[in-house]
């Protein structure tokens, strides 16, 4: 009987530990010490050949809230694609609280056409209320963030049509 109690207690501890680890992996936080795991995809400009953008997908509230906070750098053609389940109003924008690197942002309509772009600077204020919000004043379904200057360098402007690219297979 004692062995059965020990075994049941061990199973209970394992279940609690497993559920805690699983929920920690599912949720992202905005603290510098917290981690977040993103799937990725590739975006391309639809009507011209240029480098492929390798982007992490922020498609949950927690992933979008975390975004690119606390990152020290982004590789040249890397960024983050913030995807929503429904259309967002144009007064709903992005800010740069706890974001260390300057970024370009493109707000995209349902067809991935750029409706507005900004170059955003890091906000160094400890108080998030002191950080400006970059509002597109046009409804959007997603937003793409890349290193500052990227959109100018690759002529990504209002009206540019983006698309998801076919994933490049490696080791072929």
């Amino acid at each position: 009987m004692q062995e059965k109690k020990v075994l049941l207690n061990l199973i209970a501890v394992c279940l609690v530990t497993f559920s805690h680890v699983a929920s920690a992996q599912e949720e992202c936080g905005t603290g510098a010490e917290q981690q977040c795991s993103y799937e990725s995809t590739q975006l391309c400009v639809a009507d011209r050949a240029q480098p492929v953008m390798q982007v992490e997908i922020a498609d949950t509230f927690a992933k979008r809230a975390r975004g690119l906070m606390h990152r020290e750098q982004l590789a040249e053609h890397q960024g983050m694609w913030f995807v929503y389940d429904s259309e967002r109003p144009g007064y709903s924008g992005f800010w740069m609280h706890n974001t260390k690197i300057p970024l370009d942002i493109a707000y995209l309509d349902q067809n991935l056409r750029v409706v507005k772009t900004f170059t955003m600077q890091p906000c160094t204020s400890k108080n998030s209320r002191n950080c400006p919000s970059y509002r597109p004043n046009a409804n959007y379904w997603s937003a793409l963030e890349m290193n500052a200057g990227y959109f100018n360098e690759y002529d990504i402007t209002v009206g540019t049509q983006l698309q998801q690219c076919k994933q490049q297979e490696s080791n072929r």
Side-chain angles (χ1 to χ4, degrees), residues 32 60 76 132 154:
T60 66
E76 182 179 5
Y154 293 99

Side-chain angles (χ1 to χ4, degrees), residues 24 27-36 66 69-70 98 100:
E27 279 303 311
C28 302
T30 58
E33 72 289 345
Q34 294 173 299
Q35 298 295 315
C36 193
R66 173 67 182 212
M69 285 182 175
H70 309 290
N98 289 329
K100 297 180 177 186

Side-chain angles (χ1 to χ4, degrees), residues 73-79 146-147:
Q73 63 183 11
L74 276 177
E76 182 179 5
H77 300 289
Q78 290 191 327
M146 302 292 287
N147 281 312

